[in-house]
Amino acid sequence: MPATPAGTRRRAARRLPRRARRPGRRHRHRRTGPHPFYAESGGQDSDAGMLTGPNLRAEIIDVQRPAKNLIAHTVRILDGSLAVGDTVHVAVDSEWRTGARQAHSGTHVAHSALRHVLGPNALQSGSYNRPGYLRLDFA
């Protein structure tokens, strides 16, 4: 499927629970295939963004990979509804992505500095980062 402006793609909507079609309700929208969203992984929080269509405006608030080749998006419908077969436009929040990238890079810098000061036995044992926040666990 051809990409539209940077970080966006048009996709056909997949299965959606009927109760989730009302504005303000949270639900999981599952689909597979190429998409611009980074799922939570390796200590980095997932991307955020928008899902829009002819009769839809929804905020993507979480992206998970519960199984290989399956991406689950948690969305909050702000306006309208979504039906099977609707074509939607997905867009990553570029400010969120930039902040997440900076926090991820900061984790590597902090780990390198830690090893420089404490020696090669200072090992990273975990991390969590999102825009404006990073945590580095070490042993």
Side-chain angles (χ1 to χ4, degrees):
M1 176 162 290
T4 53
T8 65
R9 292 192 183 270
R10 292 203 179 274
R11 298 288 296 180
R14 308 266 193 213
R15 222 178 335 174
L16 182 70
R18 179 172 291 284
R19 71 177 192 281
R21 293 182 184 171
R22 294 181 303 198
R25 295 289 302 256
R26 285 187 181 183
H27 64 274
R28 293 235 169 186
H29 171 224
R30 297 188 196 298
R31 66 185 174 151
T32 59
H35 62 90
F37 285 87
Y38 181 84
E40 182 177 339
S41 177
Q44 184 168 331
D45 205 357
S46 65
D47 278 331
M50 294 297 291
L51 179 70
T52 57
N55 300 310
L56 173 71
R57 193 169 65 86
E59 179 181 20
I60 297 174
I61 56 177
D62 190 28
V63 184
Q64 297 290 320
R65 184 183 308 269
K68 188 176 181 178
N69 299 324
L70 177 64
I71 304 293
H73 299 77
T74 303
V75 302
R76 179 181 301 119
I77 295 180
L78 303 173
D79 190 37
S81 63
L82 181 62
V84 173
D86 284 354
T87 298
V88 297
H89 179 78
V90 294
V92 173
D93 180 331
S94 61
E95 287 183 31
W96 177 271
R97 167 93 46 98
T98 297
R101 250 193 324 253
Q102 291 170 342
H104 181 83
S105 295
T107 300
H108 290 292
V109 171
H111 183 228
S112 177
L114 189 65
R115 289 177 61 88
H116 180 75
V117 171
L118 299 178
N121 292 333
L123 301 175
Q124 180 177 341
S125 58
S127 69
Y128 178 71
N129 50 67
R130 65 176 186 266
Y133 177 87
L134 75 82
R135 185 194 76 227
L136 175 68
D137 305 328
F138 69 96

